[in-house]
């Protein structure tokens, strides 16, 4: 199963060692979950981790040693060979990259920009929060 991690999930994983985002990253290899994100999300993550409670040096260390080694970074895609109606231009590259890379899930905590898509699928890519993904895995006996 291939999971695309939005910036909000990456930031949450840096900021909390006990949350669902970090759990997914920690468990990915043992559960055969392939983790991906876009280079766009990587840059956005680096720009925003200063907003976390911990120091930027701690955030950078967690990013470099705990998170980054487990994630494949994809080049952002801006073009899709399918019709897509998604009004949030800032997050359009995120959704298009997840679709183009054939991810099964796009995980996000961004309820503002993805609010009309949360809990739904777009061309077979399910969009939801990490907790929703984990509940789905439990309901289907994968955890």
């Amino acid at each position: 199963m291939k999971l695309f991690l939005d910036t909000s999930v990456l930031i949450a994983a840096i900021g909390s060692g006990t949350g669902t985002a970090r759990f997914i990253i920690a468990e990915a290899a043992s559960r055969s979950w392939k983790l991906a994100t876009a280079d766009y999300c990587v840059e956005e993550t680096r720009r925003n981790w200063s907003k976390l409670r911990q120091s930027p040096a701690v955030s950078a260390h967690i990013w470099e040693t705990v998170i980054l080694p487990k994630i494949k970074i994809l080049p952002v895609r801006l073009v899709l060979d399918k019709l897509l109606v998604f009004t949030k231009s800032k997050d359009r590259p995120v959704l298009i990259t997840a679709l183009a890379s054939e991810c099964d899930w796009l995980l996000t905590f961004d309820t503002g920009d993805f609010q009309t898509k949360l809990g739904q699928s777009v061309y077979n890519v399910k969009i939801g929060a990490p907790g929703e993904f984990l509940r789905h895995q439990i309901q289907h006996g994968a955890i």
Side-chain angles (χ1 to χ4, degrees), residues 50-133:
S50 63
K51 297 175 185 172
L52 295 170
R53 283 186 239 151
Q54 66 220 18
S55 74
V58 169
S59 295
H61 177 73
I62 292 168
W63 173 253
E64 294 291 333
T65 62
V66 177
I67 298 169
L68 193 57
K70 297 180 180 182
I71 298 173
K72 181 176 182 176
I73 300 172
L74 306 168
V76 73
R77 302 275 183 90
L78 299 174
V79 179
L80 189 65
D81 62 351
K82 301 171 181 156
L83 178 64
L84 178 65
V85 177
F86 187 66
T87 57
K88 300 297 183 178
S89 61
K90 175 178 83 71
D91 287 309
R92 201 174 295 134
V94 172
L95 181 54
I96 291 172
T97 304
L99 290 166
S101 60
E102 299 178 341
C103 289
D104 299 293
W105 282 80
L106 187 162
L107 301 181
T108 184
F109 285 117
D110 189 346
T111 57
D113 291 344
F114 284 97
Q115 69 182 349
T116 61
K117 302 292 183 203
L118 289 172
Q120 298 182 24
S121 292
V122 176
Y123 293 114
N124 297 319
V125 175
K126 295 174 188 76
I127 301 173
E132 182 180 352
F133 165 73

Side-chain angles (χ1 to χ4, degrees), residues 3-36:
L3 309 177
F4 187 96
L5 307 181
D6 183 27
T7 303
S8 59
V9 173
L10 297 173
I11 293 285
I14 292 169
S16 173
T18 59
T20 55
R22 182 78 72 85
F23 176 83
I24 288 169
I25 292 168
E27 291 291 311
S30 67
R31 308 239 183 236
S32 298
W33 299 334
K34 294 179 179 129
L35 305 179

